[in-house]
Amino acid sequence: MKFVVYCDYGPDVDPMLFETYEDAYEEYNYRVREEPVISTYLCVVIDEYKAK
């Protein structure tokens, strides 16, 4: 299972992919503290497609 943390502000949503929930949650909390006015999301990746 993988997790992603991103925000939906501006042209760059700055997504970060994590292998563990703990690491993702740490990044999520950091972003919420640093930019509390920007919506931030922590999501579970349910599918992944890699173009060849």
Side-chain angles (χ1 to χ4, degrees):
M1 187 176 298
K2 293 182 181 178
F3 304 88
V4 67
V5 175
Y6 71 95
C7 55
D8 64 359
Y9 178 77
D12 183 13
V13 295
D14 194 23
M16 293 182 71
L17 189 64
F18 296 91
E19 297 293 327
T20 67
Y21 174 79
E22 291 78 12
D23 290 342
Y25 191 64
E26 184 178 327
E27 176 65 22
Y28 172 80
N29 281 325
Y30 171 76
R31 291 186 186 204
V32 169
R33 281 191 314 271
E34 294 299 311
E35 296 289 344
V37 296
I38 297 175
S39 296
T40 301
Y41 306 92
L42 190 163
C43 304
V44 174
V45 177
I46 59 172
D47 199 4
E48 186 176 355
Y49 171 79
K50 294 183 180 180
K52 296 179 180 176

